[in-house]
Amino acid sequence: MKLPTVVFQITAIGKNPRALEASARSVGYWLPRTPRLGYRAEVWAVVEPDGYASDPLRYDRLAADGVRIVVVPRSYSTPLGTSGKARALEYAVERRRALGLADASTWIYHQDEETVVGQDTLLGIADFVRAGAHRVGVGIILYPIDWNGSPSHVQELTRTYDDLRVLDSMTLPGNPTAGFHGSHILVRSDVEDAVGWDTVGYSPAEDLTFEIRVRARFGSVFGVLTGFAYEKGAFSLGDQLRQRRRWMHGVLFALRHAPELGPRRRLTLLYSALTWYSAFPSVVVLAASVLLHYGPILVGTSVFTGFIWVTMATGYLEGYRLHAEYVRRPASWLRFAAAALLGAVVDVLAPWYALATRPSRRDFIPKDRPHEAPLVPPVGSRAE
Amino acid sequence: MFLAELDRLTVELGANPVPGDIRPRVAPPGPLPDEAPPDAMPLSPYLEERLRLAHRAMATLGRELSTLERRWGVVRAAAEHLDRELERAEDEAGFLGRLAAVPLAAEPLAEGPVRAGGEEEAPEARAAVEGDRVVPDDGSLPYLRFSADRYNRTIGALKSRRRRLVGWTVGLAVAISGALGTAAFLAHEPPPDPWLAILPLVWLVPVPFFVVSFLATHRVLRRNHLDVPAVA
């Protein structure tokens, strides 16, 4: 019987080389220390030429240590002419096909440049592959890497708790609340090969498009991937704001330009966007209610207010509890609450910021710790 | 060069002779002007040139010192870098030593990665670690057990408090909503204008999403085991 292969594929621009190296090395570190996994493993880093050029020594060192560094050629174009991350993902699909890795015994574990794996991740993947009950798996992501309890980090706790909703939604027919990830997902290679990532033009929500296509072609083949993945939050509120702007642009783009989106999914997506957009007016209305005397109306609306507030607070608390064994405790609960409020304000403003401004296609969120010096390339290296 | 110029200047000026200096004072070429005051320093046609040379030598020396300082900084940074890399190499060597039986970097690929710039390709190694064949002998199995237990404990704790979470959520929601409603009711404010009355409805937009999320979260916790396999 052929032993399954899992390709740990990190797809990124590559301009956060230290974060990417940590992700790749986490796989290389834990694989040999985790016996009886039952699969072969390869590590791929799929990066853009600019990313490679930002720290060639580091990439070369990774290559020497067994990581396949795939630099997407500038001249490469897909049949439909997609760009951004989808283009790199499609290139990787073609490379795998050329190498005979587009079969049912190969699985692709998708990582962002900061997605670090642990032994539990590897065990979860092994369990999923061994069971073979589903063709795509999605799991829960923690954000303990470089954790410092800042507002942008505290805000990520809610994403972890929200992953439970994502898992449920994704495993239900039709994905009723439009949940999906771009990282910490495991896809059987033949499924990814059949569906691909190619779309017409720019596709900022490539993960959403991919999920829709898989569902359309293979039905409800999604399962829960056990084990956490370990990522890091944005380093600053500004980065958090830009990250959320990118997400919202992805959603808006999908709403307008994704032909794969059926009317029902479009409506779901529209509603989830509307929910996010309603946060800021809600805060404004709450503040204005003191001046404009909404009293009698609030008697009716307050029935749901308590539930929403408690649910939001639960997101922070349970998100933190999920992280408790993986991060240092913040200085105090007061500081934690203040950080949560500040992080929430940024999330409240983010969709409106996305309406007012546009990210560039080469926009990326810094994930390398700013205080660590880059490797100095030797005199005469290619990067100079 | 600089010291030679200083010597020449000293001789030229005849000032501050070094103790023990027995060289005779060199007479300036040409006669001294008669009107020169008796205490005035004798002028020399070479003085200006000597000073210019001295300035130039000083400037050269300054530049060389700056260059030296910069280069020293680079050397020191490189030495620190070397130190760090040696430490890492030592770790790596220890790691590889422990995993001598692991088939790392098995076979070279037929085709390598495309490098920056697009078209050029370079050779590379390929990692192929077969989990089945790796049996660490460095005591990492207890850590594997710890990793799996920690994950299962975290997820298990969340699952175990699911019912309590439902109770607290509903109870607190009712309490907060009740308090807000009571406060609004007791304020006895007059009904607002109709156009203002619709504004608070914006609060209701996310309600279905929150309700569905709440149900989904508890359903996934109830239905799925979510544990990673226990390590023997």
Side-chain angles (χ1 to χ4, degrees):
Chain A
M1 182 186 165
K2 189 180 176 186
L3 202 65
T5 298
V6 175
V7 176
F8 292 82
Q9 183 180 309
I10 306 165
T11 313
I13 294 174
K15 286 190 174 177
N16 287 310
R18 295 195 300 278
L20 190 146
E21 182 183 26
S23 300
R25 291 201 181 277
S26 71
V27 181
Y29 183 85
W30 288 120
L31 272 172
R33 289 167 167 79
T34 314
R36 292 182 285 278
L37 284 174
Y39 55 79
R40 293 176 69 253
E42 292 188 19
V43 186
W44 287 31
V46 184
V47 297
E48 297 290 338
D50 291 347
Y52 176 85
S54 70
D55 200 343
L57 277 185
R58 200 176 295 271
Y59 285 111
D60 287 352
R61 207 171 57 182
L62 277 174
D65 288 347
V67 175
R68 182 193 293 270
I69 307 294
V70 180
V71 183
V72 185
R74 287 185 208 279
S75 57
Y76 171 73
S77 62
T78 63
L80 296 179
T82 193
S83 59
K85 189 173 179 179
R87 173 176 164 274
L89 287 161
E90 182 65 19
Y91 183 70
V93 168
E94 291 183 13
R95 302 296 288 177
R96 287 200 301 272
R97 196 181 301 147
L99 293 167
L101 292 170
D103 57 357
S105 68
T106 303
W107 296 76
I108 317 303
Y109 178 70
H110 286 279
Q111 296 171 259
D112 281 343
E113 55 202 336
E114 78 275 21
T115 312
V116 168
V117 305
Q119 285 177 304
D120 52 319
T121 323
L122 302 182
L123 289 171
I125 292 170
D127 199 29
F128 196 92
V129 169
R130 196 180 302 121
H134 302 96
R135 297 181 195 180
V136 181
V138 179
I140 299 171
I141 301 173
L142 300 186
Y143 300 87
I145 310 294
D146 293 342
W147 167 270
N148 59 13
S150 67
S152 57
H153 284 190
V154 169
Q155 189 59 24
E156 302 302 67
L157 301 177
T158 61
R159 289 175 66 189
T160 296
Y161 190 64
D162 186 55
D163 275 351
L164 293 165
R165 170 192 66 83
V166 171
L167 296 190
D168 180 77
S169 180
M170 197 200 60
T171 50
L172 290 178
N175 195 353
T177 62
F180 202 63
H181 283 169
S183 63
H184 194 32
I185 62 170
L186 184 68
V187 186
R188 214 172 73 181
S189 187
D190 58 335
V191 171
E192 188 169 331
D193 188 70
V195 170
W197 298 86
D198 196 10
T199 56
V200 179
Y202 180 46
S203 174
E206 76 287 337
D207 49 354
L208 178 70
T209 309
F210 179 75
E211 184 266 336
I212 292 166
R213 283 181 177 181
V214 170
R215 202 174 288 276
R217 178 142 183 188
F218 295 97
S220 193
V221 292
F222 299 83
V224 174
L225 180 63
T226 56
F228 294 134
Y230 304 90
E231 296 193 353
K232 59 174 88 176
F235 282 122
S236 68
L237 289 173
D239 288 343
Q240 181 191 336
L241 190 64
R242 288 194 299 122
Q243 187 184 46
R244 272 47 168 178
R245 175 179 67 176
R246 198 173 62 189
W247 295 349
M248 183 47 83
H249 271 277
V251 170
L252 295 177
F253 185 90
L255 279 172
R256 283 176 297 162
H257 300 294
E260 301 89 355
L261 217 59
R264 193 173 162 187
R265 282 302 295 278
R266 200 175 290 271
L267 202 64
T268 308
L269 204 60
L270 181 68
Y271 173 66
S272 61
L274 199 64
T275 300
W276 198 358
Y277 272 106
S278 71
F280 180 59
S282 296
V283 174
V284 172
V285 167
L286 178 65
S289 64
V290 178
L291 299 172
L292 299 175
H293 306 294
Y294 294 142
I297 306 297
L298 291 178
V299 174
T301 54
S302 64
V303 171
F304 303 102
T305 307
F307 177 70
I308 290 177
W309 287 2
V310 172
T311 308
M312 286 172 69
T314 304
Y316 289 100
L317 290 176
E318 288 302 324
Y320 178 70
R321 281 175 156 174
L322 285 169
H323 282 75
E325 294 215 39
Y326 300 87
V327 299
R328 282 183 293 113
R329 189 189 174 89
S332 68
W333 283 110
L334 195 65
R335 188 177 161 192
F336 180 81
L341 269 176
L342 207 54
V345 166
V346 171
D347 268 14
V348 162
L349 293 174
W352 296 93
Y353 178 65
L355 275 189
T357 59
R358 298 184 67 79
S360 71
R361 292 189 181 188
R362 313 297 289 175
D363 201 18
F364 80 104
I365 311 299
K367 293 290 182 181
D368 279 350
R369 275 193 303 272
H371 54 78
E372 195 180 333
L375 283 176
V376 182
V379 175
S381 82
R382 297 168 57 115
E384 289 191 341
Chain B
M1 178 186 174
F2 176 63
L3 292 176
E5 285 301 316
L6 277 181
D7 281 344
R8 279 196 208 110
L9 271 175
T10 307
V11 170
E12 196 73 36
L13 294 171
N16 301 323
V18 189
D21 185 0
I22 55 166
R23 281 185 292 179
R25 205 168 178 176
V26 178
L32 287 172
D34 294 339
E35 64 274 18
D39 57 342
M41 185 180 290
L43 293 176
S44 162
Y46 301 112
L47 180 59
E48 199 176 328
E49 186 190 348
R50 299 288 181 215
L51 281 171
R52 199 168 54 246
L53 286 172
H55 277 300
R56 201 177 299 163
M58 287 278 281
T60 306
L61 182 66
R63 273 200 308 275
E64 291 301 326
L65 280 173
S66 309
T67 308
L68 193 64
E69 192 181 357
R70 273 201 309 275
R71 286 180 186 277
W72 175 244
V74 173
V75 169
R76 197 171 50 189
E80 286 169 359
H81 181 206
L82 178 66
D83 202 31
R84 283 198 303 273
E85 290 305 317
L86 281 175
E87 271 180 34
R88 286 175 189 157
E90 201 175 329
D91 291 347
E92 200 69 17
F95 169 65
L96 290 174
R98 290 195 300 275
L99 299 169
V102 180
L104 269 169
E107 71 270 36
L109 290 172
E111 46 186 344
V114 182
R115 286 204 177 213
E119 283 70 32
E120 192 180 343
E121 300 211 341
E124 64 163 357
R126 172 179 179 177
V129 179
E130 295 188 7
D132 266 355
R133 293 169 57 185
V134 180
V135 184
D137 55 355
D138 60 349
S140 60
L141 199 59
Y143 194 83
L144 172 60
R145 204 167 287 132
F146 164 76
S147 294
D149 285 350
R150 182 168 58 166
Y151 169 81
N152 289 336
R153 195 167 54 241
T154 300
I155 286 292
L158 177 61
K159 285 168 73 80
S160 70
R161 61 177 175 266
R162 189 179 63 78
R163 286 177 192 277
R164 264 179 294 152
L165 211 53
V166 173
W168 274 103
T169 302
V170 173
L172 274 175
V174 169
I176 290 172
S177 292
L180 284 173
T182 306
F185 180 74
L186 292 178
H188 295 300
E189 289 181 337
D193 291 339
W195 72 272
L196 283 176
I198 56 169
L199 284 181
L201 294 180
V202 77
W203 284 14
L204 300 181
V205 171
V207 170
F209 181 82
F210 275 86
V211 171
V212 170
S213 294
F214 176 78
L215 295 174
T217 299
H218 289 277
R219 185 166 47 220
V220 82
L221 286 173
R222 193 179 68 242
R223 283 185 182 172
N224 293 277
H225 67 85
L226 291 174
D227 289 350
V228 294
V231 180

